[in-house]
Amino acid sequence: MARKKKKVGTYPSGMILFSLTLALFLIGFCGLLAIQSKRLVTYIRENYEMRAFLDKDLDSTKVAALFRTLSERPYVLKNNGSAQVTLVTKEVAAKEFIAETKEDFSKFLGENPLRDSYRIKLNEEYFDEAKLQGVKTDLEQIDGVFEVVYQENLVDSINRNITRIYLIMSAFALVLLVIIVVLMNNTIRLALHSQRMLIRSMQLVGATNGFITRPFLGRGIWQGFLAGVIAVVLLLITLQLAIRNLPELGAFQDYEKMAMLLAGLVGLGVVIGFLSTFQAVHRYLGLTLDELY
């Protein structure tokens, strides 16, 4: 049986495709976590509330005027043009307190000591201790506002933890990217080892480096593209399984950023495939005959 001739640019590629797909999947997974966490952080910040307790015995006209005043403040969150300011009467507040503590204070006090209040949601950019203090000071200067309260220690704690999480994820993604490049260089170099003599033979018959390199680069780009597409499909399957088992995740999807991430993964696969193949081929192009053996 005649021995099958080797064709330039062909080499075992299953391990390369598997390694690059796995690496791109892990990077994409980190990206998805970052996007989801950013949406979650935005949700937490925009649902954080300040409570502005009102002076007692305000009539309905003054309460309504106070609502309009609060709604015009630049730091108040607005959804579809509607200010996120909610009136909680002292009767409602009493029911909430009794439901939480299981104690009816009206039985031994004989009256409801609580005050009417407005619960105010703020824009995300004001989720900072210094800015919240400024908001608190501004609200307390409004006529009819008795006191403004919020959980002060919670804000700093959340911001510190968010920064720490982003730093850890960024460091992990960077280390993973370095590992990918090194791994791909070594894997492609080993795969091209079987073609080293063919490369040398082409050099001896006068083939230029560009002519020799072209089919290898084409194969490397195709492998990077294919690995990126497979990684994207796996990420979408993983995301759908996660949403199916945890429907609340559906509210934290940012489809624009996700599309950019998935397109970036395919592009990253192409770039890594190109650069790793280019470096590996040029290494063999520069070897002497003794070094080839």
Side-chain angles (χ1 to χ4, degrees):
M1 181 182 293
R3 185 177 179 182
K4 187 177 180 181
K5 293 183 179 180
K6 288 184 179 180
K7 184 179 179 182
V8 66
T10 60
Y11 50 86
S13 58
M15 183 56 67
I16 295 175
L17 186 61
F18 174 78
S19 301
L20 186 53
T21 299
L22 180 61
L24 291 174
F25 174 79
L26 291 175
I27 288 181
F29 189 74
C30 289
L32 278 181
L33 288 179
I35 292 174
Q36 302 295 329
S37 62
K38 178 66 172 64
R39 294 285 293 178
L40 178 60
V41 167
T42 299
Y43 177 82
I44 292 174
R45 287 175 171 176
E46 291 185 348
N47 282 274
Y48 183 80
E49 293 180 335
M50 272 191 170
R51 293 196 177 189
F53 292 96
L54 310 184
D55 292 334
K56 291 187 175 182
D57 302 324
L58 290 180
D59 58 36
S60 58
T61 302
K62 291 184 178 179
V63 171
L66 189 55
F67 174 82
R68 290 191 294 270
T69 300
L70 294 174
S71 300
E72 293 171 356
R73 288 299 195 264
Y75 43 76
V76 174
L77 177 67
K78 294 178 176 62
N79 285 337
N80 299 321
S82 177
Q84 300 301 293
V85 180
T86 306
L87 175 65
V88 179
T89 64
K90 61 181 182 179
E91 291 78 18
V92 172
K95 291 179 180 179
E96 292 178 351
F97 181 85
I98 294 172
E100 291 176 3
T101 63
K102 308 301 181 183
E103 296 182 2
D104 188 353
F105 56 84
S106 61
K107 292 182 178 179
F108 54 86
L109 289 180
E111 62 176 355
N112 184 356
L114 302 179
R115 295 173 179 265
D116 296 337
S117 66
Y118 276 113
R119 293 179 181 175
I120 307 168
K121 294 181 180 180
L122 306 178
N123 289 316
E124 184 181 2
E125 57 266 26
Y126 286 90
F127 198 79
D128 175 82
E129 186 60 41
K131 292 182 179 179
L132 289 176
Q133 283 289 345
V135 171
K136 180 178 185 294
T137 301
D138 180 69
L139 289 174
E140 289 181 337
Q141 292 176 351
I142 298 175
D143 185 37
V145 175
F146 174 74
E147 183 184 18
V148 176
V149 298
Y150 67 96
Q151 293 178 285
E152 299 183 14
N153 295 332
L154 179 64
V155 175
D156 281 339
S157 176
I158 291 176
N159 285 334
R160 282 195 302 269
N161 289 332
I162 290 171
T163 302
R164 192 176 296 120
I165 290 171
Y166 283 154
L167 288 175
I168 292 174
M169 292 180 65
S170 299
F172 179 74
L174 181 61
V175 171
L176 189 59
L177 184 59
V178 173
I179 293 174
I180 290 171
V181 174
V182 174
L183 177 63
M184 290 306 302
N185 281 339
N186 292 335
T187 304
I188 293 178
R189 187 178 300 171
L190 290 174
L192 289 175
H193 184 74
S194 63
Q195 297 248 309
R196 71 192 188 285
M197 302 309 297
L198 181 57
I199 293 174
R200 183 63 176 179
S201 298
M202 294 183 69
Q203 285 180 310
L204 292 175
V205 298
T208 63
N209 287 348
F211 180 83
I212 298 172
T213 305
R214 194 176 299 117
F216 289 102
L217 291 181
R219 189 176 180 85
I221 291 173
W222 168 248
Q223 288 174 339
F225 175 80
L226 187 58
V229 171
I230 296 174
V232 166
V233 172
L234 292 176
L235 281 172
L236 291 175
I237 292 174
T238 302
L239 182 61
Q240 290 303 314
L241 290 175
I243 293 176
R244 183 176 299 178
N245 289 279
L246 193 61
E248 291 80 5
L249 285 176
F252 302 120
Q253 304 307 308
D254 189 331
Y255 295 104
E256 182 178 350
K257 290 184 179 178
M258 282 179 57
M260 294 173 60
L261 171 67
L262 299 180
L265 280 181
V266 177
L268 181 61
V270 171
V271 171
I272 292 176
F274 174 84
L275 293 179
S276 298
T277 305
F278 182 84
Q279 183 178 0
V281 173
H282 272 259
R283 178 180 180 275
Y284 283 108
L285 288 174
L287 294 179
T288 64
L289 187 59
D290 291 337
E291 290 172 332
L292 287 175
Y293 285 100

